[in-house]
Amino acid sequence: NAMSAYGLYQASHSPAHALSNDGILSRSLPHYWYQFAHGDIEWFVTDSRTRRNLSAADRRILDVEQEQSLLEWLVNSTARVKFIVTSVMFYPDRTLNDGDAWQAFPQQRLRLLECIRRHGIKNVIFVSGDVHGSMTSRLCHSQDSDFEVHTIVASPFCNSELLPYAVASNFIFKPPMARTENGDYHYELTGPVISQDNFAHLHVAAQSIHVTFHDRDGYPLQVVDIPLR
């Protein structure tokens, strides 16, 4: 029932559906992930919910086809800015690992990061929600000063008392997120964790991305500039 409602009210309005010649949405939908572009900005919206594999032999949050499409897009896209949308957090990692976010799929997360680093891909931004708090953070590499990836977490638009707001102490900041033979990945917050109802507005300018978090009445709470390279 939940997936039927998603198909009717959300997926039906998204670029996941192709338009037929007469303008009617095609009824077949082979997958929920999709891409779209606006000017020199491109987006890859992942499906990190319905195509998971939890087997120990090949644990993944994205299926094989989707991961390959994402990697090819990262390498081949000429977009100045590349946004990757994921329903659950790419990072920072939480102190309480409930097995839901990318934290629980470290091998696949590392494959994506190593692809970005090895190919020198610039201006990759992960956009996510899920944790009932908003923040921005930067991921760097101990041996590759040219590598930098950012994340924007924007939620919740409306919270309830049953789901407590996130605070900075809910996340792990001291040890590296991942260790490899070529160096370590480590992250840091680039702004405070916002623990109230809010939404984010992104403005991509020539030199930076302006991220403004607003309260439920539209008043700005915090502004963060993410520099572009």
Side-chain angles (χ1 to χ4, degrees):
N1 290 336
M3 292 308 298
S4 295
Y6 172 75
L8 288 170
Y9 294 101
Q10 289 181 272
S12 64
H13 296 83
S14 80
H17 276 283
L19 292 176
S20 63
N21 292 332
D22 57 2
I24 304 300
L25 289 172
S26 61
R27 295 189 178 277
S28 61
L29 192 62
H31 49 68
Y32 291 119
W33 48 270
Y34 58 90
Q35 304 170 30
F36 68 94
H38 180 73
D40 60 356
I41 303 166
E42 292 187 4
W43 297 73
F44 192 110
V45 180
T46 66
D47 172 12
S48 54
R49 291 290 190 189
T50 73
R51 299 238 175 165
R52 299 186 181 196
N53 187 343
L54 302 182
S55 68
D58 187 27
R59 185 175 176 84
R60 55 176 58 246
I61 193 170
L62 308 180
D63 59 287
V64 175
E65 179 189 5
Q66 185 178 183
E67 179 183 348
Q68 188 60 38
S69 295
L70 176 55
L71 293 175
E72 291 176 358
W73 173 77
L74 280 168
V75 172
N76 297 324
S77 170
T78 59
R80 183 171 65 99
V81 181
K82 300 177 180 68
F83 287 104
I84 301 174
V85 179
T86 173
S87 59
V88 293
M89 288 184 67
F90 194 72
Y91 74 90
D93 291 343
R94 298 181 65 190
T95 55
L96 177 61
N97 182 3
D98 59 4
D100 188 38
W102 283 83
Q103 177 182 5
F105 303 85
Q107 290 81 13
Q108 190 171 48
R109 178 170 65 175
L110 184 59
R111 287 197 298 270
L112 293 181
L113 293 175
E114 285 288 271
C115 174
I116 295 170
R117 188 182 67 82
R118 288 196 309 268
H119 288 87
I121 303 171
K122 302 292 192 297
N123 302 327
V124 177
I125 315 293
F126 286 88
V127 179
S128 65
D130 187 56
V131 295
H132 305 279
S134 297
M135 71 198 81
T136 58
S137 57
R138 175 175 55 238
L139 181 70
C140 299
H141 191 274
S142 62
Q143 302 301 317
D144 189 345
S145 59
D146 201 39
F147 172 87
E148 187 174 278
V149 165
H150 291 263
T151 187
I152 301 170
V153 181
S155 67
F157 185 67
C158 182
N159 200 8
S160 73
E161 295 181 357
L162 299 177
L163 298 169
Y165 289 105
V167 295
S169 60
N170 295 146
F171 304 97
I172 303 170
F173 290 104
K174 293 297 183 182
M177 187 186 77
R179 295 182 182 273
T180 73
E181 59 182 10
N182 297 315
D184 301 337
Y185 289 93
H186 53 90
Y187 53 72
E188 63 180 357
L189 287 174
T190 52
V193 177
I194 300 174
S195 301
Q196 66 183 82
D197 288 352
N198 69 92
F199 64 94
H201 175 264
L202 276 60
H203 174 69
V204 182
Q207 302 297 325
S208 64
I209 301 173
H210 305 291
V211 184
T212 305
F213 294 103
H214 299 265
D215 67 14
R216 62 191 307 161
D217 295 318
Y219 295 105
L221 297 168
Q222 180 71 28
V223 179
V224 178
D225 271 0
I226 300 175
L228 296 174
R229 297 179 293 162

